[in-house]
Amino acid sequence: EEVKRFIPVILSVEPCASVVKAPEKLSCRIWKFQDRTYLLVCNLTREGVAGDIWLSGWHADRRDLLGGDGSEVDGGRVPVTLPPLGVVMMKLK
């Protein structure tokens, strides 16, 4: 149910930034939909994970739409802290 509202984003084929670097224990996927960038990050382990995700594009703002800790974005660096098997879907500007 939580994912249904993101179906238009997930199905988007608009060209977007890419994930350049991410911690090994995190899985990331990025989309662009209606001029907004969306980043999904999943912790694949049964332990908490913290680290930085680096994107090819520059972003100045982050709004967590599902999960997350609301850390601030610093250009192409997106800091994340996720609990075991945690997920965050964020909208970036």
Side-chain angles (χ1 to χ4, degrees), residues 6 31 37-41 53 55 62-69 71 73 78-80 88-92:
F6 301 116
W31 298 270
T37 299
Y38 294 82
L39 177 63
L40 175 68
V41 182
I53 297 167
L55 306 178
R62 164 183 172 173
R63 186 171 137 221
D64 293 345
L65 304 173
L66 175 69
D69 61 5
S71 298
V73 176
V78 181
V80 294
V88 61
M89 172 67 101
M90 60 188 81
K91 181 166 39 171
L92 305 172

Side-chain angles (χ1 to χ4, degrees), residues 3-16 29-34 38 40 89:
V3 177
K4 278 186 179 180
R5 66 184 171 142
F6 301 116
I7 288 175
V9 172
I10 293 169
L11 295 178
S12 175
V13 293
E14 294 180 40
C16 64
R29 178 69 166 89
I30 193 165
W31 298 270
K32 187 170 186 180
F33 179 68
Q34 297 180 340
Y38 294 82
L40 175 68
M89 172 67 101

Side-chain angles (χ1 to χ4, degrees), residues 14-88:
E14 294 180 40
C16 64
S18 61
V19 175
V20 175
K21 184 178 175 185
E24 188 176 301
K25 297 178 180 181
L26 299 178
S27 180
C28 306
R29 178 69 166 89
I30 193 165
W31 298 270
K32 187 170 186 180
F33 179 68
Q34 297 180 340
D35 292 323
R36 300 282 191 214
T37 299
Y38 294 82
L39 177 63
L40 175 68
V41 182
C42 303
N43 179 355
L44 304 175
T45 70
R46 295 192 181 275
E47 57 191 51
V49 175
D52 294 330
I53 297 167
W54 291 89
L55 306 178
S56 62
W58 190 90
H59 300 280
D61 190 33
R62 164 183 172 173
R63 186 171 137 221
D64 293 345
L65 304 173
L66 175 69
D69 61 5
S71 298
E72 293 199 20
V73 176
D74 180 17
R77 182 179 71 89
V78 181
V80 294
T81 302
L82 290 175
L85 303 174
V87 175
V88 61

